[in-house]
Amino acid sequence: MKQDDAERTLEGMIHLPTLKLRLAIEGIFVGLFAGCCIALLRLCLGFVASRRSFMVAFLQSMPLASVLIWAVALLVLAWFIAYLVRLVPIAGGSGIPQIRGIVLGIYQSLHWFRVIVVKLVATALGIGAGLSMGREGPSVQIGGMAGQGIGRLFHNSNMETRALISSGAGAGLAAAFNAPMAGCLFTMEVIHKNLSALVMVPTLMASLTAAVIAHAVFGMDTVFAIPWMAILQPVYLPHLVVLGLLTGVAGVLFNRGSLGIGRFYGLPVFRKPWMRIAFPLLLTIPLTYFLPAVLGAGDSIIEDMVELKGSIPLIVCLLLGKYIFTFLSTGSGAPGGSLQPMLVLGAIMGGLYGSVAVELGMLPPEYRLHMVVFAMAGFFTGSVRAPVTAILLLLELTGRFYHIVPLGIVTLFAYAAGELLQDRPIFDAILDKELHQHMPSGVHSSLPAKAYLYESAVESGSPAEGRCIRELSIPGKALIVSIRRGDQVIVPDGETKLLSGDYVYILPNRAGARELSALFKSEE
């Protein structure tokens, strides 16, 4: 870390109220920048989605000889997307693990504007061509890069810029789904993984500002048009337990499939990156003829499930088709997210469970829609392991805030299923996998010594709780330089005792991210 950066960081910690206010104001600029970028992405994807049925009908009416031209166009598109990703490698894939890696100091992104441009163009092209991916992962990365750009503009310290990157990530999700509270909690639960006030304040401001931009462009309606839903009677609450367990297991299967698809793309036939992207793109040709519903993000599937369309065999076919094509799309390395396909798969599972329960006489038909909505939160939780974000996201996506208790029950049991199966949250697992593949042994766990101050909350039950600093075995000669306890900033010495809820700020030196995290996280 540069000396002047360290000094500015510690100066900010000493004058914490001023720092919070400054970050809050800068968070508004992050929200404006991120909101405009995500609005542009949504407009592009909306243009394609609104014409998808027309395009499918047009392609289905083309003579078979024209399929060759279609295939060649897709191959050229695959090469172009791969070329863009080669220019900016960090822009490939979902974007959420990459932002998490930047926040940890593992990844670096020196060309934030280039990442935004490549992510916008490649995501619009890939999803527009039919790949089963969503806009939310790219939105999170674009928002994070917007935060980095604002941090550079104001010449912030590295720690302050990291806070703005986190806030931009939340703003990206907020603008993608018109869900500011979910965007804010997503940053806390998935990206930053603690409730630091230094991150919470700018994230809230950025998310609200980005949501205002989204509302100004797309209106105040919720993303999903959900009709009125009656309150679920207590006698049917056991269905929520079953639904939660099923969707939790389905989320785990999604995670393992997403990670395992790499073995398929590791086959010798996929010698070049563009070949991996070309494979799912070429699959869009037969899918256009036989199962067009699985193409793209899948909003039309959610609409069909909400409108209670489809027989049980058709729903099963959609579920399997969407699962497999999502694995192939997200595993190809093309820019695009997996959160929206998760919601689609959850809706399909909810529609399937509701249809079977209605057929068996176990559930009144008027409650089938409830299963569709609640299953989306369950699947999200089973995969991402962020139950609070899942609840808030579905409440904001549907506008049905009176269903918070049923959503809570489903997410609780979906979370329990993921934990019992000892599955890791999908974005943490993807980040670890990418680091193992692309970095030498041992590098993946290290924080760069010159990155920035490392921040961690002292959790109840952690090895550090209730112990003096001199009693701790701090790895890698890391140095605790500051402790925040509420609004009080403490300059520690060897006799300073760490309490649950403290935030410690550390110069990592040679310490690894996992080693530092293990010291302050609760022992399971």
Side-chain angles (χ1 to χ4, degrees):
M1 177 186 290
K2 294 180 180 179
Q3 186 63 29
D4 61 340
D5 186 77
E7 291 175 355
R8 285 188 291 122
T9 300
L10 294 175
E11 179 71 17
M13 294 304 302
I14 293 172
H15 300 93
L16 193 60
T18 302
L19 176 60
K20 287 181 182 179
L21 178 60
R22 180 160 57 81
L23 288 176
I25 295 172
E26 291 174 1
I28 296 175
F29 288 101
V30 172
L32 287 170
F33 190 5
C36 291
C37 291
I38 306 310
L40 177 60
L41 177 62
R42 286 183 61 179
L43 287 171
C44 293
L45 294 177
F47 176 82
V48 175
S50 65
R51 288 156 177 80
R52 186 174 300 281
S53 59
F54 169 78
M55 288 189 295
V56 168
F58 172 74
L59 293 172
Q60 289 175 339
S61 66
M62 291 174 60
L64 291 178
S66 302
V67 172
L68 181 60
I69 301 175
W70 183 4
V72 170
L74 291 176
L75 290 174
V76 172
L77 178 61
W79 178 87
F80 182 64
I81 293 175
Y83 172 75
L84 291 177
V85 173
R86 189 168 71 250
L87 289 178
V88 188
I90 200 172
S94 166
I96 296 175
Q98 289 85 341
I99 288 295
R100 170 76 177 145
I102 291 172
V103 167
L104 285 175
I106 298 171
Y107 283 147
Q108 289 187 356
S109 178
L110 303 177
H111 306 288
W112 58 269
F113 186 74
R114 191 182 299 176
V115 176
I116 292 177
V117 173
V118 168
K119 201 74 176 183
L120 272 169
V121 174
T123 298
L125 290 174
I127 299 177
L131 294 181
S132 179
M133 298 187 294
R135 63 178 179 261
E136 74 302 315
S139 298
V140 168
Q141 187 173 18
I142 290 169
M145 292 298 94
Q148 183 176 358
I150 296 298
R152 297 265 181 91
L153 177 66
F154 288 103
H155 304 289
N156 284 354
S157 69
N158 285 320
M159 191 187 73
E160 294 162 1
T161 299
R162 182 178 68 153
L164 293 183
I165 291 172
S166 298
S167 65
L173 189 72
F177 285 136
N178 290 4
M181 294 299 102
C184 187
L185 263 295
F186 179 83
T187 295
M188 302 298 109
E189 274 195 299
V190 178
I191 301 297
H192 207 71
K193 291 190 181 291
N194 67 55
L195 296 175
S196 168
L198 289 179
V199 177
M200 175 70 83
V201 173
T203 300
L204 183 59
M205 299 301 292
S207 297
L208 290 172
T209 304
V212 170
I213 299 294
H215 289 155
V217 177
F218 302 102
M220 299 293 291
D221 293 338
T222 57
V223 172
F224 297 146
I226 304 295
W228 180 84
M229 299 163 58
I231 299 295
L232 188 69
Q233 296 301 310
V235 69
Y236 300 112
L237 291 181
H239 284 286
L240 303 182
V241 176
V242 178
L243 186 66
L245 293 173
L246 288 176
T247 53
V249 172
V252 170
L253 293 176
F254 181 85
N255 291 359
R256 295 181 181 177
S258 298
L259 295 171
I261 197 65
R263 290 194 292 271
F264 172 75
Y265 280 119
L267 294 174
V269 67
F270 300 108
R271 296 188 305 275
K272 301 289 185 180
W274 71 266
M275 296 177 179
R276 293 194 291 271
I277 299 175
F279 183 74
L281 280 175
L282 290 175
L283 279 181
T284 62
I285 296 177
L287 288 173
T288 297
Y289 290 99
F290 301 109
L291 197 62
V294 304
L295 299 175
D299 289 350
S300 61
I301 296 179
I302 294 180
E303 293 173 3
D304 288 343
M305 293 300 105
V306 167
E307 295 173 6
L308 311 181
K309 294 180 180 178
S311 61
I312 291 177
L314 176 59
I315 295 175
V316 171
C317 186
L318 282 175
L319 181 63
L320 294 176
K322 192 66 177 176
Y323 247 113
I324 295 171
F325 191 51
T326 298
F327 293 153
L328 294 172
S329 297
T330 56
S332 68
S338 57
L339 286 185
Q340 200 165 353
M342 287 180 200
L343 297 178
V344 173
L345 289 167
I348 298 172
M349 285 205 65
L352 179 61
Y353 178 85
S355 296
V356 172
V358 169
E359 287 291 329
L360 295 177
M362 301 168 60
L363 187 72
E366 59 267 24
Y367 291 137
R368 183 191 163 199
L369 176 59
H370 296 63
M371 302 299 109
V372 172
V373 173
F374 301 155
M376 287 192 277
F379 198 105
F380 182 99
T381 301
S383 177
V384 182
R385 219 63 50 77
V388 179
T389 300
I391 293 171
L392 282 176
L393 181 61
L394 264 295
L395 290 176
E396 291 186 290
L397 284 175
T398 64
R400 301 292 178 258
F401 293 92
Y402 48 85
H403 288 300
I404 188 169
V405 173
L407 282 170
I409 294 172
V410 171
T411 54
L412 170 65
F413 283 93
Y415 186 92
E419 292 295 299
L420 289 173
L421 293 173
Q422 299 182 340
D423 183 65
R424 294 197 66 198
I426 180 62
F427 298 122
D428 290 350
I430 291 175
L431 177 60
D432 276 356
K433 180 181 177 182
E434 290 182 353
L435 293 175
H436 277 96
Q437 288 177 342
H438 302 297
M439 290 189 177
S441 177
V443 177
H444 66 275
S445 63
S446 297
L447 286 170
K450 297 182 179 180
Y452 38 66
L453 286 180
Y454 178 76
E455 177 191 50
S456 181
V458 179
E459 296 185 357
S460 178
S462 67
E465 184 194 15
R467 299 177 66 185
C468 296
I469 290 178
R470 62 177 174 79
E471 298 173 341
L472 299 178
S473 298
I474 302 178
K477 295 185 178 181
L479 178 65
I480 298 178
V481 296
S482 180
I483 299 171
R484 181 167 58 82
R485 185 171 294 160
D487 285 332
Q488 179 186 11
V489 177
I490 301 171
V491 178
D493 56 29
E495 300 302 319
T496 303
K497 181 179 289 188
L498 296 177
L499 304 179
S500 175
D502 285 351
Y503 281 87
V504 293
Y505 296 86
I506 307 168
L507 285 171
N509 292 325
R510 296 191 302 274
R514 290 192 183 126
E515 298 168 308
L516 290 173
S517 177
L519 185 62
F520 301 104
K521 300 300 180 184
S522 60
E523 297 178 318
E524 298 179 356

